[in-house]
Amino acid sequence: MRADLVLLGGRVHAPGYPWADAVAVRAGRIVEIGTVADLRPAIGPRTTVVDTTGRLVLPGFHDSHAHPVAAGLQLNRCELGGAASAAECLDLVAAYAASHPGSPWILGGGWAGTLFPGGAPHRRDLDRIVPDRPVYLLDGDQHNAWVNSAALSLAGVDANTPDPPGGRVGRDPDGEPDGRLHESAAELVGRLTPRPAAGDLLAALTKGRDVLWSCGVTSWQDALVGPYLGLPDTFGAYLTAAERGLIDWRVAGALWWDRDRGPEQADELAERRAVARAAGFRATHVKIMQDGICENRTAALFEPYLDGAGSGQEFLEPQDLADAVGALDRRGFHAHMHAVGDRAVHHCLDAVAIARARNGSQDTRHHIAHAQVIRPSDVPRFRRLGVAASVQPLWAAAVPPMTENIMPALGPRRSGWQYPFADLLRSGARLAAGSDWPVSSPDPLHGIHVAVNRTPATLSATWLREAAHVPPFLPYQSIPVEAALAAYTIGSAHLIGVNTGIIAPSRPADLVVLDRDILTCPAEEIQYAGVELTFVAGRVVHSRQPAWSHHG
C-alpha cells in the first residue's frame, strides 16, 4: 500500500534504526522506517515526498510546562520581553499607550527586573509616561506586577494596606507602595483589570499554538488552566478550541488548585475534567503552586536567604499539601507541583510519598516543575517515588539574574544545588522538559543548548545577548544531547500522557525536520539550529520554506 507522505534522505532519529534515512506515513501514522531504497516502493502518484537530505528528522518536541494562552495575550498587548534596557522598556510602554489612546487600561508584560537599578522598576517611571490610566504589567517570570499610581489608587492600595496572604506589596522607605506587587499581592490590582472576550482568548490560544508549532512543539501541557494574577481562566478557550478541532488530545491542561480551599475541591476538579473530556480536551493534571521564585525571595528554603529576606514562603502547609496530593491521586489526577526552593521540593516529595502510602500504586504521573534548588539527599527520591522532574533547562546558565541576584542570596553551597540535571539523570529519575513560555523562549533547541553546554542560548532573548561569553554554569551538571532531546520528547510525552515522543511504527506521525543534525554538530552550535518543518499526524503545520515537497 502506498504512503501518504515519505521523508527521504535525512537522518531519522528512531530507536532501533540507526541506519534510517527515510520514514513513511499513512493515515497520520508512521508505517515504515528504513533507507531510501527500502521506502521507494511506498511512493505512489499521490504520495507527498519531502527531500530531507542533510537534515535531521526527529519526533515532535513536547513542552511539559507552557502557558500559550497567556503568551498569546501578551503578544497582543504591551509586549516588553524584547526590551534590552530600562529606557527601551519604558519607550515600549509609551509607544503602546500612544497607539491605544482609547484603552482604559494599559496591560501587558514580559519586563526583566535586571534592566532596572537594583532590579526594581518604580511606579513613578510609569507615572511619567502614563499618568492618566491604570497600568498593569506582569514581569517575565509572571510572579510580580509593575503598576502605576493610577492603578494603586483605583485598587485602594496605600501605605496602610497590609500584605495579603501569600504576597507582598513593594514599598518605599516611608511605607508607600513603590509599584511592585509580588505574588498574590498582584491580585490587588489584577482583579480589577478588564476580562478579555471569549474570542480574544481563543485567538490568543491559536496564536500561542502556532508559535509552538513553529518551534517544532507538537504537544504541550498548559501549566495553569484557571485565573491567576489578573490573567483569565483559559478553560473555556480550550473547550472551544477542542470542539472546533483547533487542538486535540496531544494537549493537556493543569487545572488550578485553589490554595485558599481544601481537598473538597478535588471533586469539583474531577467534574471539570469530565466536562473537558466531553469536549475533547484532556484536563488530566492539577497545578499546585507550592512556593514562589528565588528572584523575589518567595521560593521556600530550609535556611534563610543571605540578604536578610527571610526563607521564602510555602503557600500550603506540608500537611495540607499532602492532603491535596492524596485527594488528587485517589481521583487519578497527575499533580503538577510548582516548587523552586529546597524546602518546597522536599515537601512536595513528602506529599507524594504519603499519597503512595495511602492510596497504593496508581498510574499517576506526579511531577515537580522547576525544581531549581534541590538538596542532594532529595535527588534520589525522585526515582524512588516515581516523580518526574519537569525542568526548564534554559534557566541553568550564568546570566545576570543568576549571578547578580540569585547566587549572592543563596551562597556558594546552595548555588551548587541548582538545576542538577546530571545528578537526576544518574539517579534514574525521569526528566521532562519545558519552557514556561512566555516566561522564557518557547524554542526547545535553546533549552537543549543550555542543558548540554550550561551556557546561555544567546538567541533566546534580546537582553541575554550581552552574556554571549560567560563560563558554563555548574558544568558538571551538563547532560548529553541525546538525554536533553529525550527530555523534550519521550520524557515529556510520558508526563503529558500521550503516545507520541518517539519515531516508531504505528505511532502518530508527529515529526520535526531540523536544518542541521544537533546530535553530531559542535555542541555550541545547537542553539543555531532551526525548525524547517513541523508535522502533526503527517500534516504540515509549519514550514519555513514555501516549496518543500513534490508528489511521487
Side-chain angles (χ1 to χ4, degrees):
M1 188 178 294
R2 305 296 192 183
D4 302 322
L5 167 71
V6 175
L7 309 183
L8 292 177
R11 179 182 179 188
V12 178
H13 183 62
Y17 298 86
W19 62 86
D21 61 359
V23 58
V25 175
R26 186 167 55 246
R29 292 187 174 271
I30 297 165
V31 292
E32 191 173 355
I33 304 164
T35 66
V36 171
D38 295 333
L39 269 63
R40 285 207 182 276
I43 299 173
R46 297 181 180 177
T47 303
T48 299
V49 180
V50 178
D51 182 358
T52 56
T53 302
R55 294 168 173 82
L56 178 65
V57 181
L58 296 172
F61 296 122
H62 294 58
D63 194 316
S64 65
H65 185 112
H67 306 280
V69 186
L73 281 175
Q74 184 171 303
L75 291 171
N76 290 329
R77 291 176 170 178
C78 183
E79 160 65 335
L80 305 175
S85 67
E88 185 177 347
C89 188
L90 290 166
D91 287 345
L92 288 170
V93 176
Y96 184 88
S99 63
H100 294 78
S103 296
W105 284 73
I106 302 301
L107 303 174
W111 54 274
T114 51
L115 301 179
F116 296 86
H122 202 277
R123 58 180 165 80
R124 287 191 294 268
D125 299 326
L126 293 175
D127 292 345
R128 284 193 294 270
I129 54 179
V130 189
D132 57 333
R133 288 175 282 172
V135 179
Y136 181 80
L137 304 167
L138 287 174
D139 72 336
D141 292 319
Q142 299 209 325
H143 284 262
N144 310 280
W146 177 26
V147 300
N148 65 350
S149 295
L152 291 168
S153 176
L154 190 65
V157 178
D158 56 25
N160 299 315
T161 302
D163 289 342
R168 185 175 74 249
V169 177
R171 301 182 191 275
D172 289 330
D174 62 1
E176 289 293 332
D178 64 10
R180 290 178 302 146
L181 302 172
H182 305 290
E183 300 295 344
S184 65
E187 292 281 11
L188 297 172
V189 172
R191 66 191 177 198
L192 304 177
T193 59
R195 302 296 91 178
D200 292 337
L201 285 178
L202 184 62
L205 173 54
T206 54
K207 187 179 187 73
R209 176 206 64 186
D210 292 346
V211 171
L212 290 172
W213 280 348
S214 73
C215 295
V217 175
T218 57
S219 176
W220 71 85
Q221 178 183 182
D222 190 311
L224 202 168
V225 178
Y228 174 73
L229 300 189
L231 294 172
D233 188 352
T234 59
F235 186 71
Y238 272 106
L239 296 190
T240 301
E243 290 166 347
R244 296 185 185 178
L246 302 175
I247 60 165
D248 59 17
W249 55 267
R250 293 165 175 78
V251 177
L255 303 175
W256 178 244
W257 182 268
D258 185 347
R259 58 192 180 224
D260 295 325
R261 301 175 61 202
E264 74 281 353
Q265 65 185 289
D267 285 335
E268 297 169 21
L269 293 171
E271 292 172 5
R272 214 175 198 212
R273 175 177 58 186
V275 170
R277 184 186 298 120
F281 173 48
R282 297 172 53 254
T284 46
H285 300 66
V286 173
K287 169 73 168 287
I288 298 175
M289 184 82 78
Q290 184 57 14
D291 70 345
I293 58 176
C294 291
E295 286 84 345
N296 66 6
R297 310 301 186 254
T298 56
L301 304 176
F302 277 109
E303 299 174 9
Y305 292 95
L306 300 184
D307 56 5
S311 56
Q313 180 176 13
E314 289 190 274
F315 298 130
L316 294 180
E317 292 296 327
Q319 185 58 57
D320 294 333
L321 174 63
D323 291 342
V325 173
L328 296 173
D329 185 74
R330 281 194 301 276
R331 290 161 179 81
F333 277 113
H334 312 308
H336 179 123
M337 297 167 282
H338 167 116
V340 170
D342 60 344
R343 177 159 52 103
V345 170
H346 180 82
H347 288 148
C348 285
L349 291 167
D350 284 351
V352 174
I354 293 169
R356 301 287 194 217
R358 288 176 180 172
N359 303 333
S361 178
Q362 302 195 74
D363 185 23
T364 42
R365 303 175 185 187
H366 305 314
H367 46 283
I368 297 177
H370 313 317
Q372 178 174 343
V373 184
I374 308 176
R375 295 197 306 183
S377 58
D378 276 330
V379 168
R381 298 180 70 203
F382 280 81
R383 180 183 181 276
R384 288 204 304 266
L385 294 169
V387 175
S390 174
V391 298
Q392 287 62 55
L394 195 69
W395 304 344
V399 294
M402 174 63 72
T403 58
E404 298 172 11
N405 182 348
I406 297 173
M407 292 178 68
L410 292 178
R413 180 171 59 100
R414 290 180 300 188
S415 291
W417 295 351
Q418 294 186 89
Y419 305 116
F421 303 153
D423 286 349
L424 287 164
L425 200 63
R426 281 190 291 267
S427 76
R430 183 181 298 275
L431 283 185
S435 65
D436 208 4
W437 185 53
V439 173
S440 53
S441 166
D443 192 333
L445 294 165
H446 294 164
I448 292 171
H449 170 93
V450 180
V452 173
N453 295 284
R454 303 288 286 207
T455 56
T458 55
L459 298 182
S460 63
T462 304
W463 65 272
L464 283 179
R465 291 178 187 172
E466 65 187 45
H469 303 290
V470 298
F473 176 66
L474 307 179
Y476 49 86
Q477 295 294 358
S478 68
I479 59 177
V481 63
E482 292 84 357
L485 178 59
Y488 275 102
T489 52
I490 194 66
S492 289
H494 176 85
L495 182 152
I496 295 169
V498 293
N499 65 334
T500 51
I502 187 172
I503 297 178
S506 81
R507 298 286 184 121
D510 295 358
L511 305 168
V512 172
V513 179
L514 303 186
D515 61 8
R516 71 189 70 196
D517 189 342
I518 63 170
L519 296 168
T520 59
C521 74
E524 62 272 15
E525 294 181 10
I526 293 172
Q527 67 168 317
Y528 300 111
V531 174
E532 297 280 8
L533 288 163
T534 306
F535 297 89
V536 172
R539 176 175 64 93
V540 175
V541 295
H542 164 74
S543 176
R544 199 160 74 176
Q545 299 181 24
W548 257 95
S549 61
H550 67 274
H551 290 283

